[in-house]
Amino acid sequence: MSDDQPEKSCGQRRKQVDALQLGPRKRPSVTDPLVHYGRHFGRTVHALCNFQALLTNGILRMGELVDTPEENFTAEERREHRVFQELLKSVAGLEERLMQDGGDEVDIIAELLTKGASGARGDDTKSLKGSVLDWITPKGQNLVPPLARNVKIDRGFHHERTGALLCPAGIDWSNSETKAKLRSGEIIVTGDQWPLFLYADYRYDPEDPWNGLFQSALLVCAYKHVFTSPSSVDREPKATRSGNARIHGMTRVTLPLVAYIATQVRFALTSSPVFSRTDTVTDSERFYNSILDVFEDPDEKQEVDNLIVWWNR
């Protein structure tokens, strides 16, 4: 060391860590693999599940309830267990980890999965808010009046374009009295009343309700935006070759994914500023679950199978 270079004082020395004390608990890192799995699981298997309850009830089914006949469980409990089994298949080694470790470990796993799922949902909500306006604007035209990309207050039934797309199938948006009642809230739209934007060319056929259902250009644009890349919307087919699809090894479109995209698009068109599963105005949770109910209805199997073929063609 040269004479003109001062020595470090005691106060300048790097503080030593006491190796014999546990120290503060570090918060889970966003890079934990379970966060990664949670992001994909929320988009493609179930968007709004309570991971803590899902894991706790799943462990019960694998343990003390393992011999209980399937018919003893409700339809909702059976669906829940199918979702749990999908989670076990998605995350290598998760079943062994759950069965060997205690409740604290279950809490940590649930926290990480929740962080991933809610983080992905928030990212998609934010990115779709502005992009959806590009897709609903007729080519070569402008929305009248214009809509802000970052403020949603003028969307929903307040605006002619978003109102027409959100109008429940079978209700005549062109009827001025109906339109006024939708705008004032005199007509309340619940989550199980499906909007026109779900249908190809935004046309609903009362004689054939499945005609074009979940095949709209708007849904395809949103899917490509989330799962391939935002730049793929105008130039690629419904592919699973890049973006989030490639990152997560996704090779096909799933039914819950279609329900997720429909829920995200519906929310983007509404005037509600914050996505909340318990929001009674947007009623997003009921909307999402009502789609899953139809997808799992044995009476709709042929139509649902045809839909999956369409999305994966």
Side-chain angles (χ1 to χ4, degrees):
M1 181 181 290
S2 62
D3 294 338
D4 59 348
Q5 191 171 4
E7 292 186 356
K8 288 183 180 179
S9 68
C10 291
Q12 289 177 302
R13 289 178 189 155
R14 192 170 63 182
K15 186 178 179 182
Q16 288 188 325
V17 178
D18 191 337
L20 299 183
Q21 288 189 11
L22 187 59
R25 182 186 172 207
K26 290 185 178 179
R27 293 190 63 78
S29 167
V30 294
T31 58
D32 189 291
L34 284 171
V35 176
H36 171 85
Y37 286 120
R39 290 182 69 85
H40 190 59
F41 187 86
R43 285 169 169 151
T44 61
V45 180
H46 202 288
L48 303 173
C49 71
N50 179 330
F51 282 103
Q52 183 77 47
L54 185 72
L55 294 174
T56 301
N57 294 342
I59 291 169
L60 275 174
R61 286 285 296 267
M62 291 193 302
E64 57 192 77
L65 299 180
V66 68
D67 295 324
T68 304
E70 188 71 11
E71 58 269 19
N72 284 22
F73 296 100
T74 66
E76 184 59 32
E77 288 170 335
R78 287 196 291 272
R79 174 195 281 180
E80 180 185 295
H81 195 57
R82 285 196 299 273
V83 171
F84 175 71
Q85 289 173 319
E86 283 293 324
L87 180 61
L88 294 184
K89 284 194 287 184
S90 303
V91 184
L94 180 60
E95 181 172 354
E96 294 78 8
R97 190 171 168 184
L98 289 172
M99 297 307 287
Q100 290 172 3
D101 295 315
D104 287 347
E105 185 70 7
V106 172
D107 292 345
I108 293 170
I109 293 170
E111 180 184 349
L112 291 167
L113 291 170
T114 300
K115 187 172 191 174
S118 61
R121 187 170 65 245
D123 289 346
D124 296 338
T125 298
K126 183 177 179 181
S127 66
L128 287 170
K129 180 163 62 172
S131 296
V132 76
L133 300 182
D134 299 329
W135 309 327
I136 68 173
T137 303
K139 291 201 178 199
Q141 301 179 41
N142 295 314
L143 291 177
V144 181
L147 287 170
R149 297 182 75 83
N150 293 318
V151 180
K152 298 179 65 189
I153 193 169
D154 293 325
R155 301 187 191 185
F157 295 124
H158 306 302
H159 193 277
E160 185 65 29
R161 182 61 171 158
T162 53
L165 293 169
L166 286 170
C167 185
I171 293 182
D172 185 5
W173 174 253
S174 65
N175 182 296
S176 58
E177 185 179 347
T178 299
K179 190 182 298 185
K181 288 181 177 179
L182 284 167
R183 286 175 169 166
S184 69
E186 189 175 341
I187 294 179
I188 297 174
V189 178
T190 57
D192 53 5
Q193 291 178 275
W194 290 354
L196 212 54
F197 80 78
L198 296 177
Y199 296 83
D201 301 320
Y202 312 129
R203 288 183 188 148
Y204 167 67
D205 181 359
E207 300 298 318
D208 182 10
W210 270 100
N211 185 15
L213 181 58
F214 300 111
Q215 296 177 15
S216 73
L218 188 50
L219 289 179
V220 174
C221 285
Y223 163 74
K224 290 194 289 186
H225 179 91
V226 171
F227 285 96
T228 56
S229 70
S231 61
S232 75
V233 170
D234 296 321
R235 59 181 172 80
E236 287 185 14
K238 300 187 298 294
T240 54
R241 293 192 298 272
S242 59
N244 286 314
R246 179 185 58 77
I247 289 168
H248 296 281
M250 186 174 122
T251 58
R252 63 192 298 275
V253 176
T254 65
L255 290 167
L257 180 157
V258 176
Y260 174 77
I261 290 296
T263 303
Q264 283 282 10
V265 171
R266 180 174 175 269
F267 179 76
L269 295 172
T270 69
S271 58
S272 293
V274 180
F275 188 101
S276 171
R277 57 189 293 174
T278 56
D279 181 358
T280 56
V281 177
T282 58
D283 210 11
S284 293
E285 187 166 22
R286 186 191 297 193
F287 176 73
Y288 177 78
N289 285 325
S290 71
I291 296 175
L292 293 185
D293 286 342
V294 170
F295 285 167
E296 295 177 8
D297 187 341
D299 294 337
E300 309 292 346
K301 186 177 187 309
Q302 184 59 58
E303 300 290 356
V304 171
D305 287 347
N306 292 340
L307 179 66
I308 276 296
V309 169
W310 185 88
W311 272 96
N312 287 286
R313 64 186 179 179

